[in-house]
Amino acid sequence: MRLLVISDIHSNLEALQACLDAAPKYDRVANLGDIVGYGASPNEVVGIARNLGGVVVRGNHDRACAGVGDLNNFNRIAGFAVMWTRLALTSDNLEWVKALPQGPIPDPDLGNIEWVHGSPTDEDEYLLSENDARHALEAMDRPVTFFGHTHIQCVIGLHDGRARQFPVHYKHQDKLEYIQVRLQIGARYLINPGSVGQPRDGDWRAAFAMFDAETKTVTFYRVPYPVDMAQQRIVSADLPVRLAARLKEGR
Ligand code: ZN
């Protein structure tokens, strides 16, 4: 079984479309949340996410945009985008976002995998280092968890009691690239496919991953997309211009 793993689309239609165009054949989708918030195409992106189906977990921006919980942890710009998105979503799409389940969610077919937005022990936690990840790796119900939230592609493994982060490094910044990582039997892993719609590792290209359950291989992708179109939409929608600028900076 081959899974397309996407996360943190953040209403970026152009980035999502580029990822779907670049993805090789897959059997199912896993979507790790933050489908909306920041970008200017919430209804288009929710429409595609609903069509793609598969496993979908909620992110903190999905929750906030749907009016579940408060805006305490959002800065002024993110909070503005939340309110803008809440008004922009059709009532049908708003209900769909509101009903998204909290992770971690066990995969319905693969017994050793679960899906979450932040961390297996807290859907809002940022896992950015081995130290952040150690307790989660030890507490996970299943050996492999895919997570999002940080907007940074990575693999953090626990092997023989040691947690180690394997950053995903590319050679270029202007064309489609991919990197393959084969998982080892007996180790535990936290894997982040990166952010489709707002990468934060200094690389503007859209990010996603494929997981091949038979070969236990994760393939990380970076895909150029028409970022100027996504930026133009943000400006035209009267969203904060910073949200447009950061897309090209990859942060
Ligand atoms: Zn996010």
Side-chain angles (χ1 to χ4, degrees), residues 72-129:
N72 284 346
N73 292 321
F74 286 75
N75 65 34
R76 197 175 51 80
I77 289 178
F80 183 93
V82 163
M83 298 312 293
W84 182 95
T85 303
R86 197 180 297 173
L87 291 172
L89 281 170
T90 67
S91 55
D92 192 45
N93 283 338
L94 191 69
E95 286 308 308
W96 183 82
V97 173
K98 200 178 205 164
L100 288 174
Q102 175 180 354
I105 293 181
D107 190 85
D109 301 307
L110 306 168
N112 49 7
I113 299 212
E114 62 185 23
W115 312 94
V116 72
H117 184 65
S119 150
T121 54
D122 176 353
E123 64 173 331
D124 289 338
E125 185 183 359
Y126 289 90
L127 297 177
L128 285 158
S129 68

Side-chain angles (χ1 to χ4, degrees), residues 33-86:
D34 276 6
I35 296 160
V36 293
Y38 292 136
S41 305
N43 285 306
E44 295 86 341
V45 164
V46 168
I48 293 172
R50 292 176 73 165
N51 273 333
L52 289 172
V55 173
V56 189
V57 297
R58 72 183 186 187
N60 51 316
H61 285 257
D62 303 322
R63 224 169 51 220
C65 291
V68 182
D70 53 44
L71 291 176
N72 284 346
N73 292 321
F74 286 75
N75 65 34
R76 197 175 51 80
I77 289 178
F80 183 93
V82 163
M83 298 312 293
W84 182 95
T85 303
R86 197 180 297 173

Side-chain angles (χ1 to χ4, degrees), residues 4 69 94 98 137 188 203 210 223 238:
L4 168 66
L94 191 69
K98 200 178 205 164
L137 284 160
R188 299 171 80 78
D203 183 340
M210 299 287 302
V223 189
D238 287 329

